[in-house]
Amino acid sequence: MVKDMKKKISSKNTKVYEKNLVKAYLVRNGFSKSEIFRILNSKATRRKCYTKLDFYQGLVLNSQCRRSYRFLLKQKICSLPHPRTLAKWIGKFQCTTGIQLSMLQLLKQKSLFFEKESDRNVSLIFDEMDIKRSYSYDSRNKIVLFPSKHVQVVILRGISCSYKQPIYWDFDKSMTKQRLFSIIKEVESCGLRVRGIVCDLGNHGLISELKLFKQYSFSNPVDSKRNVYFFPDAVHLIRLLRNHVLDKGVFLPKDSYNSHRRSNPNNDPSDYVLLSKDDFKQVLNKDASELKMVHKVTNFHLEVSGQSRQRTKYAVQLFSHSVAKCMEHLFKEKKVQAEALQTIDSWFDVMNSRRKFAKKKVACALGIHEGLQMECLRKMERLVNNWIFKDTNRELPFEKGLKMSLKSTFALYDELKLEGMDYLLTSKLNQDCVESLFFQIRFIGGSNPKPDSFDCLNRLRVLVTSKNPGLLDLIDEYDVDQIDEHQVNLTGGQKVDIIGEHQLDTIDEHQAVQTDELQMEHTDEQQVDHIVAHHVDQIEENQVEKIDIYQVDQDEIVSQTIFEDNDFEVDNCCIDTDEASHLSYSGEQGLSYVCGFIARKLNKKFPFLGSQEMTDSSSKWVAVLSYGGLYYPSAEFFQVCKKFDKEFLQFHGETLSNCYDPIGTFSKKLSCVFPSWDKEIIYLFSKTRFFIRLKHLNKELNVTATSNESRSKKQIANHL
């Protein structure tokens, strides 16, 4: 007994026992596993180790507020990965354009745990967002992204379950019948059932292809027995209705709503009354005291213009229950107009229900007060069939959209009711989720609310992975061959390879999410005054030393992309010095400055490229700018760079080549043409010259956009 007691006492004095006590204390006080590991092994390793849970938490917090996240790191409140570490970690998720198969795979796994069959019912919601038109380079996938005007995004949303997920995005691709059907087929293959599509009335091509103005549904391409219903966004419809009422005015029938129109009120207004902006002005003028009956509505609601017309709040407040009752109370003769406003208010409440139970009966989920809600919708349908807008002899597009929305709601609700669903939340059949995603894409950019195509892809990657961290686990298990079958065309002709996890170590940490992290810090204060220095600022500082693009098989060297496309021959490619004088005087001086930059970057390894002493008269401009720190290229290097530049012009043409990895491809071509020159020198020239062209093209785009804007302003001024 005594010996056993001595053994227990001695075991408690060991370091293992002390560590276990510390570990238990840290666990009780909420420390994470990575924090406990670093505390217990502070001397053993200096490298920070994070668990997947740390990355997941960091992604979510960083996507919500970057300033708060950096504050947590700076104050060391909790142990979280640096934003660049997060960016490098999520780099395995390939944010290419087209259908997002990895997200559909995630939804397919989630569908296995659905409790009800009705949980598989989904709707497809899509819309476009304007983006900045500029050239950009995706260094991760090594492709050029050409200027785009907008990005098309499709979100899959559950009708009975509360899940939503972006499953498609692409640039300058309007929604067509073929593209929509391919998306529906992919969704249906995951075990989900597409019951409706939601968009605004700006998709004229799709509406015409599907003949949706004549019918409100189309057959499902996977199962012809099931219909897919078309829902024009109710939020857009009420804004359009407000605009037409204020701008034109609408004639309303005096008696009860009939099923068919009678005489045209523009010719015979005896059976109609007019609802226009003047009616609302009369209400506001009479309700002008400090204590108002309708305190939310002001003259701004009537004079709303520009971007303010996109605010749904102003339209809903104008067509509200309180305005209708106030108009009827103050003006007994405006009973018809007040009844129409009440009908519109009830219709929008039914079409925008967000919870099962609400304060207003009509605002509850469709089916909770079925009789009352259906009567509101039928009354709105009769109103739309009877009203006629002033100075209009035809049915307006948004009127057709209202009718389609009502018919689709009736049909889908009847089908879901037969399948056992008790109610329908109609807010899941509008575009709010797409608009919310667009807001987040703009918000995540801080002072840059209008991203270009490259920034847009990066922001989508951050948002998608932060809300679905499981994608990063799924992408490792996903079949790469299956992904390759669905490779997406980003540049109009070249496929993008999927970068595996084992390649992440070769990607520079500066090639992360933000575009500004891709730009090199300025290394010489004397270069600020010269325009070429601003071009050079676009180059990453350390990428040349860290990436060796020539570690590939010789069979892959440009044989298809260059020799076939450009009919290139190595034997006849050498250019005489006299023939290389394709540059003007200013162009030669700018090129000498760029050559000096390359000589300075590679001075330790290749000192013969140049020095800080002027050897000939070809670099006069560098001599004017320099205070003693700039480099002058050697005569031999300057002459060969002229030949490099001429080859660059032949390869890229007037813009940029759309081939895969244009920098690496062009440098391989130069290596074939000039085998005596080191590949690292050629690669740095190719990269520097590429980004100079990229910035030059973006400047031309900005000048063109500015001139077009000033021209349009002059044209408008001439007509005023």
Side-chain angles (χ1 to χ4, degrees):
M1 289 292 293
V2 176
K3 291 182 179 181
D4 293 339
M5 290 295 294
K6 287 182 177 180
K7 287 182 180 180
K8 290 182 180 180
I9 294 172
S10 61
S11 65
K12 291 184 179 181
N13 295 326
T14 61
K15 293 183 178 180
V16 176
Y17 181 75
E18 292 177 359
K19 278 193 173 183
N20 290 334
L21 286 177
V22 175
K23 185 177 180 179
Y25 174 80
L26 295 176
V27 170
R28 288 197 304 269
N29 287 273
F31 285 80
S32 64
K33 291 183 179 179
S34 58
E35 290 174 319
I36 295 173
F37 176 81
R38 285 196 294 274
I39 292 172
L40 297 179
N41 302 276
S42 57
K43 296 182 179 179
T45 178
R46 295 179 60 189
R47 184 178 178 180
K48 293 184 177 181
C49 300
Y50 298 101
T51 63
K52 285 188 177 181
L53 181 61
D54 295 330
F55 280 112
Y56 293 164
Q57 293 174 346
L59 281 174
V60 175
L61 291 174
N62 192 39
S63 65
Q64 295 298 321
C65 183
R66 295 193 171 191
R67 287 187 177 181
S68 300
Y69 189 78
R70 292 184 181 275
F71 176 79
L72 292 175
L73 293 178
K74 187 176 181 180
Q75 300 297 325
K76 298 181 180 180
I77 296 175
C78 56
S79 177
L80 292 170
H82 192 273
R84 286 182 179 174
T85 306
L86 290 176
K88 188 175 180 180
W89 188 65
I90 66 174
K92 68 176 77 173
F93 175 67
Q94 292 300 303
C95 191
T96 55
T97 58
I99 301 175
Q100 306 301 308
L101 299 176
S102 57
M103 298 179 189
L104 290 175
Q105 184 73 5
L106 192 67
L107 289 171
K108 184 176 182 179
Q109 292 185 0
K110 183 176 181 178
S111 65
L112 299 176
F113 301 96
F114 286 156
E115 297 179 357
K116 301 179 182 178
E117 193 65 22
S118 60
D119 295 343
R120 301 182 182 275
N121 295 324
V122 299
S123 61
L124 297 180
I125 307 169
F126 49 91
D127 200 3
E128 295 177 350
M129 182 185 76
D130 291 336
I131 60 176
K132 181 181 178 181
R133 294 188 70 247
S134 66
Y135 290 85
S136 54
Y137 182 64
D138 185 355
S139 57
R140 190 181 301 278
N141 293 319
K142 298 182 180 179
I143 55 172
V144 178
L145 298 175
F146 287 82
S148 302
K149 292 183 179 180
H150 58 261
V151 57
Q152 177 85 244
V153 178
V154 180
I155 290 183
L156 181 147
R157 187 170 190 177
I159 293 179
S160 61
C161 283
S162 58
Y163 61 88
K164 49 180 180 276
Q165 182 66 56
I167 60 169
Y168 174 92
W169 52 73
D170 208 342
F171 300 106
D172 286 345
K173 296 290 178 66
S174 58
M175 187 58 65
T176 61
K177 178 180 178 181
Q178 180 181 2
R179 188 168 291 115
L180 177 63
F181 278 18
S182 63
I183 296 174
I184 292 176
K185 290 177 182 178
E186 291 290 345
V187 174
E188 293 274 348
S189 66
C190 297
L192 305 175
R193 295 182 297 184
V194 179
R195 308 303 295 268
I197 60 172
V198 184
C199 66
D200 53 34
L201 297 175
N203 294 273
H204 304 292
L206 179 64
I207 294 174
S208 176
E209 282 186 277
L210 296 175
K211 300 178 181 180
L212 293 175
F213 275 149
K214 297 181 180 179
Q215 55 190 15
Y216 53 91
S217 64
F218 57 91
S219 298
N220 192 306
V222 177
D223 184 3
S224 58
K225 295 181 180 179
R226 289 191 282 118
N227 289 330
V228 178
Y229 296 100
F230 175 56
F231 292 88
D233 184 26
V235 176
H236 281 75
L237 292 176
I238 194 170
R239 292 202 299 258
L240 291 172
L241 176 58
R242 184 273 315 276
N243 296 342
H244 283 86
V245 169
L246 295 182
D247 296 342
K248 300 178 181 179
V250 60
F251 288 104
L252 306 171
K254 288 183 178 180
D255 53 2
S256 59
Y257 302 150
N258 296 319
S259 59
H260 299 286
R261 292 181 178 178
R262 292 163 294 175
S263 61
N264 192 330
N266 292 299
N267 301 324
D268 182 17
S270 58
D271 294 335
Y272 289 83
V273 295
L274 180 65
L275 174 63
S276 64
K277 183 190 294 187
D278 294 335
D279 296 306
F280 296 101
K281 284 185 177 180
Q282 292 177 19
V283 173
L284 292 180
N285 291 336
K286 197 163 185 177
D287 185 30
S289 62
E290 182 180 356
L291 300 176
K292 304 180 67 175
M293 298 173 66
V294 284
H295 60 279
K296 291 184 179 180
V297 181
T298 62
N299 285 320
F300 179 78
H301 289 71
L302 306 182
E303 306 298 336
V304 62
S305 61
Q307 288 297 322
S308 298
R309 287 203 166 193
Q310 301 299 319
R311 299 288 301 277
T312 309
K313 177 179 71 172
Y314 300 135
V316 174
Q317 288 175 348
L318 190 64
F319 294 145
S320 63
H321 171 77
S322 58
V323 173
K325 292 300 181 182
C326 182
M327 184 178 292
E328 183 180 4
H329 182 75
L330 296 178
F331 303 94
K332 302 298 182 182
E333 67 277 9
K334 296 185 182 297
K335 185 177 180 180
V336 176
Q337 292 92 325
E339 186 180 2
L341 293 179
Q342 182 65 58
T343 302
I344 296 171
D345 175 70
S346 299
W347 160 78
F348 188 73
D349 285 338
V350 176
M351 295 299 296
N352 195 41
S353 58
R354 297 182 177 274
R355 56 184 64 87
K356 185 175 181 180
F357 297 103
K359 293 181 180 179
K360 298 171 66 175
K361 290 184 177 181
V362 292
C364 297
L366 181 58
I368 300 299
H369 302 282
E370 183 178 352
L372 176 62
Q373 292 169 326
M374 286 298 179
E375 179 58 31
C376 292
L377 296 181
R378 294 190 186 97
K379 191 173 182 180
M380 183 65 182
E381 187 177 25
R382 292 195 298 269
L383 177 62
V384 175
N385 288 330
N386 279 271
W387 70 25
I388 296 179
F389 284 87
K390 189 177 180 181
D391 300 329
T392 303
N393 295 321
R394 62 181 179 85
E395 193 174 30
L396 298 174
F398 93 93
E399 295 182 84
K400 298 178 182 178
L402 275 169
K403 293 180 180 179
M404 285 189 290
S405 177
L406 290 166
K407 291 179 180 178
S408 297
T409 304
F410 290 140
L412 179 61
Y413 176 73
D414 290 339
E415 288 186 5
L416 296 178
K417 188 177 179 181
L418 292 175
E419 294 175 7
M421 281 188 62
D422 299 328
Y423 59 88
L424 171 64
L425 293 175
T426 51
S427 63
K428 295 185 177 181
L429 299 173
N430 61 33
Q431 288 184 315
D432 284 351
C433 57
V434 181
E435 298 297 339
S436 176
L437 177 64
F438 291 161
F439 173 78
Q440 293 178 65
I441 292 174
R442 296 187 183 101
F443 171 78
I444 202 173
S447 59
N448 181 23
K450 194 172 184 180
D452 58 15
S453 52
F454 178 65
D455 288 337
C456 190
L457 285 177
N458 283 330
R459 295 177 189 184
L460 280 169
R461 178 191 286 114
V462 173
L463 290 172
V464 169
T465 53
S466 63
K467 290 178 170 38
N468 301 279
L471 284 172
L472 300 172
D473 293 333
L474 184 63
I475 198 68
D476 296 332
E477 304 171 359
Y478 199 62
D479 188 3
V480 177
D481 296 333
Q482 185 178 358
I483 296 178
D484 290 339
E485 292 177 3
H486 299 275
Q487 282 176 319
V488 184
N489 188 353
L490 287 178
T491 57
Q494 303 294 330
K495 287 184 177 180
V496 180
D497 294 333
I498 303 299
I499 300 178
E501 185 178 3
H502 62 281
Q503 295 173 298
L504 290 177
D505 294 334
T506 63
I507 297 176
D508 189 6
E509 190 174 276
H510 293 277
Q511 299 176 11
V513 176
Q514 296 300 323
T515 307
D516 56 353
E517 293 178 30
L518 296 172
Q519 300 179 357
M520 186 196 72
E521 291 185 0
H522 209 289
T523 57
D524 195 336
E525 295 179 359
Q526 300 174 11
Q527 299 176 352
V528 175
D529 298 325
H530 194 263
I531 187 170
V532 182
H534 294 289
H535 294 314
V536 175
D537 285 348
Q538 305 298 318
I539 315 301
E540 297 100 289
E541 176 90 53
N542 302 317
Q543 187 180 10
V544 176
E545 291 80 10
K546 294 189 178 182
I547 299 180
D548 186 5
I549 63 169
Y550 300 99
Q551 294 178 355
V552 294
D553 296 335
Q554 292 296 322
D555 296 338
E556 298 179 2
I557 296 181
V558 228
S559 58
Q560 296 180 354
T561 55
I562 294 179
F563 298 153
E564 295 178 4
D565 296 342
N566 299 324
D567 197 17
F568 173 73
E569 296 181 2
V570 177
D571 297 334
N572 300 325
C573 62
C574 296
I575 306 169
D576 295 333
T577 305
D578 297 335
E579 296 178 358
S581 58
H582 60 284
L583 297 169
S584 62
Y585 174 76
S586 61
E588 287 189 354
Q589 296 304 309
L591 181 61
S592 69
Y593 187 92
V594 174
C595 294
F597 163 76
I598 297 174
R600 183 183 184 279
K601 290 284 293 183
L602 304 178
N603 179 54
K604 293 182 179 180
K605 194 172 182 180
F606 307 102
F608 62 88
L609 296 179
S611 64
Q612 291 180 322
E613 297 180 0
M614 186 175 180
T615 56
D616 58 7
S617 59
S618 61
S619 303
K620 295 180 180 179
W621 181 240
V622 179
V624 172
L625 289 178
S626 179
Y627 289 101
L630 297 183
Y631 272 60
Y632 300 90
S634 63
E636 181 187 7
F637 182 53
F638 180 65
Q639 293 300 327
V640 79
C641 281
K642 284 185 178 181
K643 301 175 185 179
F644 289 172
D645 190 69
K646 192 166 185 177
E647 292 292 331
F648 178 87
L649 297 178
Q650 292 178 358
F651 180 80
H652 286 283
E654 296 181 356
T655 57
L656 288 171
S657 173
N658 65 347
C659 68
Y660 169 72
D661 189 13
I663 298 175
T665 302
F666 176 64
S667 62
K668 291 171 188 176
K669 175 184 175 179
L670 288 183
S671 297
C672 295
V673 179
F674 306 96
S676 60
W677 285 86
D678 192 274
K679 295 177 180 179
E680 191 172 354
I681 300 173
I682 291 175
Y683 179 78
L684 184 55
F685 175 85
S686 304
K687 187 174 183 179
T688 306
R689 188 66 178 88
F690 175 86
F691 281 101
I692 290 174
R693 170 64 65 84
L694 186 73
K695 188 166 186 179
H696 173 70
L697 292 172
N698 287 333
K699 281 188 175 181
E700 288 186 342
L701 283 177
N702 293 334
V703 171
T704 304
T706 304
S707 61
N708 291 338
E709 184 178 356
S710 61
R711 188 182 302 112
S712 62
K713 288 182 178 179
K714 289 180 180 179
Q715 291 176 351
I716 294 172
N718 292 334
H719 289 84
L720 293 178

